[in-house]
Amino acid sequence: RRAPGRCPVPKDQRPSSQLLELQDSLLMGWGGKALNVYAARLGGLGAFFYVTLAYPIASVSYDPTTQPTEAFICACTGSFTAVAVFALLIYNNWSYVRDRLLSATVEYEETGWYDGQVYVKDPEMLARDRLLGTYVVRPIVERLRKTLLACGVGVFVSLAALNTIDAPEYGVDGGNYYDNGGASGFYKESSMMKYEPPATVGELEAEEREEREELQRYEAAMDRYQRDARQNAEDAASSLE
C-alpha cells in the first residue's frame, strides 16, 4: 500500500521529471540552451539544409549561372521551412511540459495499460511546478514562438522577393520581358531590333520595290472600281429614261 500523502504519479510521468528529460534530450534540449548556443545550432541546422537539400533542389528550378539570385532566394525559402519544422517540433514538446507544470492536476497511467488517473497536486508540488513552468519553461516557449514567427516571416519575404524578380517567360528577366511588350502581347520595334538581325541594303531596296508594286496594284484596282461604278450609274440612268 502507498503511504498516505505520497505522490502516486510514477516518477517518469511527473512534470518535473519530464522537464529534466527534455533538457537532457539531444534535439529537444536545444530550446533550453543559452541564447547564443540556441541561435548557433538553429543557424547551423539551416545552413546544413541549405547546402545539402535546399540549394541543390533550387538549382534544378533556376540555373545558378544565369539566375543566381533566384536560386539563392529559393534555397533560403526551403532552409527557413526546414528550420521552422524542427522549431515547431521542439515548441510542441516544451509547451506540453509547460502546461503540465502549470496545471493543478497531473494525468498519468498507473500501470501502463491505459488506466488513466488524475492526481491533484499537493501544495508543495504545485508551488514547485508552477515556479518551474513560469520562470524556466515559459521563457523558452516564448523564444521558440518568436523563432517560428521569424521563420514564417523569412519564408513570406523570400516568396515575395522571388515572385517579384522571377519572370520565367521566354527566359528573360522580368524588367526586359515587360519592356519588350511580351506581357501585353504586342509587337514593338525595340524588341524586334534585339532579336532580329538588321536588314541589308539589298533587302531594304527589295522591300521598297515590293511596297511600290503593291501600291500600284492597289491604285489600279481602285481605278477599275471607280470606272465600273460610274458605268453602272450611267446604265441605270439610261434604263430609267
Side-chain angles (χ1 to χ4, degrees), residues 59-187:
S59 300
V60 176
S61 301
Y62 301 97
D63 187 359
T65 58
T66 57
Q67 295 176 299
T69 304
E70 289 87 341
F72 171 74
I73 295 177
C74 184
C76 286
T77 304
S79 184
F80 279 128
T81 303
V83 173
V85 170
F86 278 85
L88 180 61
L89 178 62
I90 300 173
Y91 172 84
N92 287 335
N93 282 270
W94 281 91
S95 62
Y96 170 75
V97 172
R98 177 205 58 188
D99 294 341
R100 285 176 65 83
L101 285 169
L102 297 178
S103 176
T105 60
V106 180
E107 297 180 358
Y108 68 99
E109 296 175 3
E110 192 169 13
T111 64
W113 288 92
Y114 302 98
D115 51 346
Q117 303 289 334
V118 178
Y119 172 70
V120 179
K121 297 178 181 178
D122 58 69
E124 180 182 356
M125 182 180 182
L126 179 61
R128 183 186 68 247
D129 284 358
R130 286 192 171 175
L131 283 173
L132 291 172
T134 301
Y135 296 104
V136 176
V137 181
R138 182 175 287 173
I140 295 174
V141 173
E142 183 64 18
R143 185 168 66 184
L144 288 165
R145 187 186 67 82
K146 291 179 180 178
T147 301
L148 288 172
L149 180 61
C151 289
V153 171
V155 170
F156 176 78
V157 171
S158 298
L159 290 176
L162 192 63
N163 184 64
T164 301
I165 67 175
D166 177 30
E169 295 89 351
Y170 305 106
V172 299
D173 59 88
N176 288 336
Y177 177 69
Y178 290 105
D179 291 342
N180 293 336
S184 303
F186 57 84
Y187 176 85

Side-chain angles (χ1 to χ4, degrees), residues 208-222:
E208 292 178 357
R209 186 166 53 254
E210 291 178 359
E211 290 178 358
R212 287 195 299 270
E213 293 175 355
E214 183 68 24
L215 179 61
Q216 292 173 359
R217 287 194 294 271
Y218 172 77
E219 291 175 348
M222 290 299 297

